[in-house]
Amino acid sequence: MSVEIIAEHINPLLGRKDAKLIVHHEGSGTPDRLAIRKIASDHFKTQQDKVYVRSIRTRTGGSSAICQVEIYGDSKLADKNVPAYIKNRNLPKEQRVSRKKGAEEEKPAPAAPKPAAPEKKAEPTKPAPAREAKPVPAKEPKPAPAETKTPAKPEAKPAAKPPAKPDTKPKA
């Protein structure tokens, strides 16, 4: 595999170098992120933990991949600026954290079914002690509203088409 650098940009604000590479891979499939990460770290003479592959694109049937790579000067800056999903993609498959596995590990084991609670016997309720308060006036029930039916609308027939307008253009 050979590497060709298309563009290289130094970003001092984020403390990194952005590079766009073409990796030629004649006769083999598109290289994975780990291989491109190793190639880029060898080319830029830096450690692999400071190099992150953002994207890899290969045209269908093509033998070269266009890659976007970020090379950080300090691994602490890389930890701060690189999103977690990009860090996860740049790890070997055995070390990656999948969303499904993470969700399963976080869920506690299903709780054992609770034993049926003994039924409580209904105890007679004691009346509340009388309070000295104003007597509450009794509410009178409202009479039910009389049912009113809306008259059914007769089905309207579609209106007949208006007669066609005569041609107003003069004949020549």
Side-chain angles (χ1 to χ4, degrees):
M1 282 190 270
S2 62
V3 179
E4 181 182 334
I5 297 176
I6 299 174
E8 190 173 334
H9 177 259
I10 297 173
N11 192 336
L13 183 65
L14 296 175
R16 72 180 184 207
K17 186 186 299 185
D18 298 324
K20 200 169 192 179
L21 313 170
I22 294 181
V23 179
H24 300 284
H25 51 90
E26 289 286 329
S28 62
T30 304
D32 60 345
R33 289 178 189 267
L34 294 175
I36 293 174
R37 194 174 183 187
K38 174 140 179 52
I39 290 168
S41 68
D42 291 344
H43 185 271
F44 291 105
K45 296 180 177 85
T46 186
Q47 298 170 353
Q48 275 189 334
D49 65 334
K50 296 179 183 178
V51 178
Y52 289 92
V53 180
R54 274 288 196 170
S55 68
I56 304 170
R57 287 178 290 179
T58 304
R59 288 186 169 215
T60 305
S63 60
S64 60
I66 298 174
C67 309
Q68 290 182 345
V69 179
E70 296 174 349
I71 302 101
Y72 285 87
D74 187 17
S75 55
K76 289 181 183 176
L77 283 173
D79 289 339
K80 182 179 175 185
N81 292 328
V82 178
Y85 73 96
I86 296 290
K87 290 178 192 175
N88 193 30
R89 287 180 185 174
N90 281 273
L91 292 174
K93 282 202 174 195
E94 306 85 44
Q95 295 177 5
R96 289 186 194 162
V97 178
S98 70
R99 295 171 85 190
K100 292 178 183 174
K101 287 182 182 175
E104 289 175 4
E105 290 172 4
E106 290 176 8
K107 282 187 178 178
K114 295 180 181 178
E119 293 182 23
K120 294 183 179 179
K121 295 180 181 179
E123 295 179 11
T125 56
K126 296 179 182 178
R131 293 185 192 169
E132 293 183 29
K134 295 179 183 177
V136 179
K139 292 184 180 179
E140 296 179 15
K142 294 182 180 179
E147 291 183 27
T148 56
K149 291 186 179 179
T150 56
K153 294 181 182 178
E155 291 184 23
K157 293 183 180 178
K161 292 184 180 178
K165 294 181 181 177
D167 247 350
T168 55
K169 294 181 183 176
K171 294 182 180 177

